[in-house]
Amino acid sequence: MKRLTAVLGSLTAIAGLQLATPAAAQEELAKKHNCLVCHQVDKKVVGPSYKDVAAKYANDKTAEAKLFDKVKKGGVGVWGQVPMPPNATVPDADIRALVKWILSLK
């Protein structure tokens, strides 16, 4: 019984880590690509907060594609006149992961 309890405890801990890890991993990805220089999760810096982006695009079924293009190619005008520079060297898979993470924020 003690062994079963230990195994269940370990599985519960692993499950908890798996649930927590994606968000932490995405934030690390944002740090790696210097996204957090201009953006923060919950406050405006140079660009909008990620939570504001998620709220703006909450009901937009094309949001992932729009934001992927915006991150990859850069742009100006959606959030004011401060341009977002292109991120052409960031791997597409990283951009997709970051966009999904941003849109998941509440």
Side-chain angles (χ1 to χ4, degrees), residues 3-21:
R3 184 172 180 184
L4 179 60
T5 302
V7 169
L8 289 175
S10 295
L11 290 174
T12 302
I14 290 168
L17 284 174
Q18 288 176 336
L19 291 174
T21 301

Side-chain angles (χ1 to χ4, degrees), residues 83-100:
M84 178 167 169
N87 292 279
T89 60
V90 177
D92 289 356
D94 288 358
I95 294 174
R96 283 189 189 89
L98 287 165
V99 166
K100 285 180 185 286

Side-chain angles (χ1 to χ4, degrees), residues 8 13 18-20 22 25 34-36 47 51 53 62 69-71 75 78 83 86-88 106:
L8 289 175
Q18 288 176 336
L19 291 174
N34 297 317
C35 305
L36 299 178
K51 287 186 176 183
V53 173
T62 64
D69 282 345
K70 180 69 72 173
V71 173
V78 176
N87 292 279
K106 304 286 183 217

Side-chain angles (χ1 to χ4, degrees), residues 38-39 44-48 70 74-86:
C38 295
H39 301 276
K44 180 183 182 340
V45 184
V46 175
K70 180 69 72 173
V76 66
V78 176
W79 296 92
Q81 293 307 306
V82 176
M84 178 167 169

